[in-house]
Amino acid sequence: MSKTIVFGHQNPDTDTITAAISLAHLIGAEPVALGATNEETQYALKEFGHAELPIIKNIAETGADSVWLVDHNEAQQSAADIKDFDVAGVVDHHRIANFETANPLFYRAEPVGCTNTIIHKLYVERGVEIPANIAGLMLSAIISDTLLFKSPTTTEEDIKAAHALAAIANVNIELYGLELLKAGTNLAAKTESELLNSDVKSFPMGDQTIRIGQVNTVSIPEVLDRKAALIAEMEKENAANGFDQFILIITDILESNSEAIVVGGDTSKIESAFNTPVNADVVVLPGVVSRKKQVVPQLTDAYNA
Amino acid sequence: MSKTIVFGHQNPDTDTITAAISLAHLIGAEPVALGATNEETQYALKEFGHAELPIIKNIAETGADSVWLVDHNEAQQSAADIKDFDVAGVVDHHRIANFETANPLFYRAEPVGCTNTIIHKLYVERGVEIPANIAGLMLSAIISDTLLFKSPTTTEEDIKAAHALAAIANVNIELYGLELLKAGTNLAAKTESELLNSDVKSFPMGDQTIRIGQVNTVSIPEVLDRKAALIAEMEKENAANGFDQFILIITDILESNSEAIVVGGDTSKIESAFNTPVNADVVVLPGVVSRKKQVVPQLTDAYNA
């Protein structure tokens, strides 16, 4: 008996979880997850009456003989034993790296803001009807990945797909979208370590390793109230893991602005990347919401200059 | 002024050349080639009144600022300076390996018999009309890659696309198809080096580099009459280029069988991949016509075992 599973990346976000659900429904597979959902995703699952996905530790334990990936392709972001399996299909919107197959496969990547925008196209191309609750989950992913279309990663195709999905799910995008994004900003209950690690990646820049985390909030000052404790934890992580610099981007999802706490390393790189001073370990980043488009390339340039 | 180029793999075959033409027409780009066309492709270009493509040595010389690949993705099959460019898009039907980008891209791969089958879908999805001569070239590619639907790589989608394209081009598939395939079997006039290099690719397997060429014929014995001279040339190429093993697949397009000459490396890998002995440098491969489906995966497994 053949069994196909679909999963997204480690430290799952709303797009990764809901893309597993929506693609699995389309191709007749089983959606699973590589970790626990965050509060934003929990809100979306509850709103549209979908159960949490089973969390797997590795592929082998599932007995699956066919594997599809969504919202990622790089092995270090995937299941621990991904290299033991030949991936049958991928739907993604990231760069391709550290990914290899032995056989021809289905691979669909487009440079859009959200994986579910591509999956929406697959449904349309194949003439398959999207159930209302899955449409609601797919819409949630687009809202989440584009910060309600405010992120510079947003494309016309994301906006078009979101409106089509909102019509199927019978949802007001603005009203629901703000509630969804706010559900992910309940930071008070989280420890400093949880805040730093909820959405964090390491980037090699020049000969340095730069750690960049991001949290969404409706009040940057509330997060900055915890600055001393955050800095202490960031120093600890730098020392323990050999990060040269730790940057925590705190993004106001209502105002589409960020401020960042910077710990360790050469702060002049930050100042030259963003053309603004670092004051008391904090840099103000007006209009910045996307780590991928508005922080990493600028900082990479500064470190390579 | 922005300039986008599209090209297929080195040692171009009919699919690689015509996919560059058909995709370039769809996306408004310039098709180029990484080498001279073979006789089969020349026959198709002449039949449908299309000029030969400009042959480029590297991407830099073209002044292009955007690069799309068709019918391949692996760097060693691509332009010499491909690693200096970030690929914007790929349309392919092969495995993914030795391919990496810094940025999100358009990637469309499907496990079908021919790149042009996928490009036909792109035209349909985007509602773009296919000019009759380009339809004829795309049909030629499907005939070539599927050996008139006899290769196990053939899918229902290839057959469907071929019939749609034949209707646009106003071509009888069987009659034209046999003429096209026969145009590629005129081996007597070719030197050993030309035979080896008309359709050849390098594959990293384990820590080895395996070179696999293929020729189509209507008489395998006629090709094997030249075995000694072919082996001498294969030894020369192995030594000059650091190939660990050279395999020349000789395929009878009428009987859908192959035999292969093997030079260098560990022949026990061949024997375990195909569960049959190598006798006097030749292995008999009944029913084998597809390098991609019936040779590369089996041999990759053997080298990774």
Side-chain angles (χ1 to χ4, degrees):
Chain A
M1 187 59 195
S2 163
K3 178 177 170 180
T4 301
I5 58 171
V6 185
F7 55 83
H9 55 74
Q10 298 168 13
N11 305 308
D13 58 12
T14 299
D15 188 30
T16 249
I17 295 289
T18 60
I21 293 169
S22 58
L23 185 67
H25 180 80
L26 180 67
I27 66 172
E30 213 169 286
V32 296
L34 299 185
T37 49
N38 64 34
E39 285 167 304
E40 182 195 275
T41 311
Q42 288 161 20
Y43 183 91
L45 290 172
K46 197 171 166 196
E47 181 76 15
F48 296 104
H50 199 289
E52 290 279 344
L53 298 185
I55 297 175
I56 65 167
K57 282 206 179 58
N58 56 56
I59 301 167
E61 75 181 32
T62 68
D65 50 13
S66 179
V67 171
W68 283 62
L69 307 182
V70 286
D71 196 28
H72 78 295
N73 64 84
E74 304 191 38
Q76 76 281 1
Q77 301 168 4
S78 197
D81 57 349
I82 188 70
K83 296 260 186 190
D84 301 339
F85 291 80
D86 208 39
V87 172
V90 178
V91 183
D92 190 19
H93 65 133
H94 295 90
R95 69 168 192 168
I96 296 178
N98 196 11
F99 177 81
E100 184 169 315
T101 65
N103 288 289
L105 74 163
F106 181 99
Y107 202 111
R108 181 78 172 251
E110 299 187 21
V112 294
C114 180
T115 308
N116 272 290
T117 298
I118 306 167
I119 297 175
H120 175 252
K121 287 171 90 168
L122 292 177
Y123 272 92
V124 172
E125 285 164 15
R126 296 179 187 194
V128 177
E129 203 177 326
I130 308 174
N133 70 325
I134 289 182
L137 293 173
M138 294 169 76
L139 171 64
S140 304
I142 299 176
I143 291 166
S144 170
D145 268 14
T146 66
L147 288 179
L148 253 175
F149 315 137
K150 282 180 184 156
S151 166
T153 57
T154 313
T155 67
E156 280 305 313
E157 302 202 65
D158 297 301
I159 296 170
K160 218 174 91 182
H163 283 92
L165 291 163
I168 298 170
N170 196 21
V171 165
N172 178 307
I173 296 179
E174 286 295 324
L175 293 180
Y176 170 68
L178 270 182
E179 290 310 309
L180 175 72
L181 291 178
K182 276 188 197 159
T185 64
N186 179 21
L187 306 181
K190 290 190 171 146
T191 66
E192 280 72 28
S193 171
E194 286 169 341
L195 286 187
L196 292 175
N197 289 297
S198 65
D199 178 12
V200 66
K201 291 176 180 171
S202 293
F203 299 87
M205 295 188 186
D207 57 354
Q208 310 264 295
T209 298
I210 313 302
R211 185 79 163 168
I212 311 182
Q214 186 170 22
V215 291
N216 290 339
T217 181
V218 290
S219 166
I220 293 175
E222 256 180 37
V223 181
L224 286 178
D225 281 348
R226 299 168 69 177
K227 189 172 86 171
L230 284 166
I231 288 176
E233 185 66 25
M234 289 158 88
E235 281 170 345
K236 216 170 95 186
E237 294 221 3
N238 282 354
N241 304 290
F243 307 138
D244 296 291
Q245 187 164 63
F246 202 133
I247 301 167
L248 177 66
I249 307 165
I250 306 158
T251 300
D252 184 327
I253 55 163
L254 302 181
E255 302 295 332
S256 300
N257 285 319
S258 294
E259 299 191 29
I261 303 175
V262 181
V263 174
D266 182 354
T267 51
S268 78
K269 300 295 184 187
I270 311 269
E271 296 183 333
S272 89
F274 303 107
N275 199 25
T276 186
V278 177
N279 282 323
D281 308 309
V282 171
V283 60
V284 178
L285 302 169
V288 168
V289 298
S290 166
R291 173 175 53 195
K292 182 163 68 172
K293 282 222 162 173
Q294 295 172 296
V295 176
V296 171
Q298 292 76 0
L299 205 54
T300 302
D301 285 351
Y303 269 98
N304 289 329
Chain B
M1 187 57 194
S2 162
K3 177 177 171 180
T4 302
I5 58 170
V6 185
F7 54 83
H9 54 74
Q10 298 169 12
N11 306 306
D13 58 11
T14 300
D15 188 30
T16 249
I17 294 290
T18 60
I21 293 169
S22 58
L23 186 67
H25 181 80
L26 180 66
I27 66 172
E30 213 171 285
V32 296
L34 299 185
T37 49
N38 63 33
E39 284 167 304
E40 182 196 275
T41 309
Q42 288 161 20
Y43 184 91
L45 289 172
K46 198 170 165 195
E47 180 77 15
F48 296 104
H50 199 288
E52 291 278 344
L53 298 185
I55 297 175
I56 65 165
K57 280 206 180 60
N58 56 56
I59 301 167
E61 76 182 31
T62 68
D65 51 12
S66 179
V67 171
W68 283 62
L69 308 182
V70 287
D71 196 26
H72 78 296
N73 65 84
E74 304 189 39
Q76 76 281 359
Q77 301 169 3
S78 198
D81 57 350
I82 187 71
K83 297 261 187 191
D84 300 338
F85 291 81
D86 208 40
V87 172
V90 178
V91 183
D92 190 19
H93 65 132
H94 295 89
R95 71 169 189 169
I96 297 178
N98 196 11
F99 178 80
E100 184 169 314
T101 64
N103 287 291
L105 74 164
F106 181 98
Y107 202 112
R108 181 78 173 251
E110 298 188 22
V112 294
C114 180
T115 308
N116 272 290
T117 298
I118 307 168
I119 297 174
H120 175 253
K121 287 171 88 168
L122 292 176
Y123 272 92
V124 172
E125 285 164 15
R126 298 179 187 194
V128 177
E129 203 178 327
I130 307 174
N133 69 325
I134 289 183
L137 293 173
M138 294 169 76
L139 170 64
S140 304
I142 298 177
I143 291 166
S144 169
D145 269 13
T146 67
L147 289 179
L148 251 174
F149 314 137
K150 282 183 185 153
S151 166
T153 58
T154 312
T155 67
E156 280 304 312
E157 302 201 66
D158 296 302
I159 297 170
K160 217 175 91 181
H163 283 93
L165 292 162
I168 298 169
N170 195 22
V171 166
N172 178 304
I173 296 179
E174 286 296 324
L175 292 180
Y176 170 68
L178 268 183
E179 291 310 309
L180 175 72
L181 291 179
K182 277 187 196 158
T185 64
N186 179 20
L187 306 183
K190 289 191 173 148
T191 65
E192 281 72 29
S193 171
E194 285 168 342
L195 285 187
L196 293 175
N197 289 295
S198 66
D199 177 12
V200 67
K201 291 175 181 175
S202 294
F203 299 88
M205 295 187 187
D207 57 353
Q208 309 265 295
T209 298
I210 314 302
R211 186 79 164 167
I212 311 181
Q214 185 170 22
V215 291
N216 290 339
T217 180
V218 290
S219 166
I220 292 175
E222 255 180 38
V223 182
L224 286 179
D225 280 348
R226 301 168 68 178
K227 190 172 85 170
L230 284 165
I231 288 176
E233 185 65 27
M234 289 158 88
E235 280 169 348
K236 216 171 95 185
E237 294 222 3
N238 283 353
N241 304 290
F243 307 139
D244 296 290
Q245 188 165 62
F246 203 132
I247 302 167
L248 177 66
I249 307 166
I250 306 157
T251 299
D252 184 328
I253 56 164
L254 301 180
E255 301 295 331
S256 299
N257 284 318
S258 294
E259 299 190 28
I261 303 175
V262 181
V263 174
D266 183 355
T267 52
S268 78
K269 301 295 185 188
I270 310 269
E271 296 183 332
S272 88
F274 303 107
N275 198 27
T276 187
V278 176
N279 281 324
D281 307 308
V282 171
V283 59
V284 178
L285 302 170
V288 168
V289 297
S290 166
R291 173 173 52 196
K292 182 164 70 170
K293 277 226 163 170
Q294 295 172 297
V295 177
V296 171
Q298 291 76 358
L299 206 55
T300 302
D301 285 351
Y303 269 97
N304 288 330

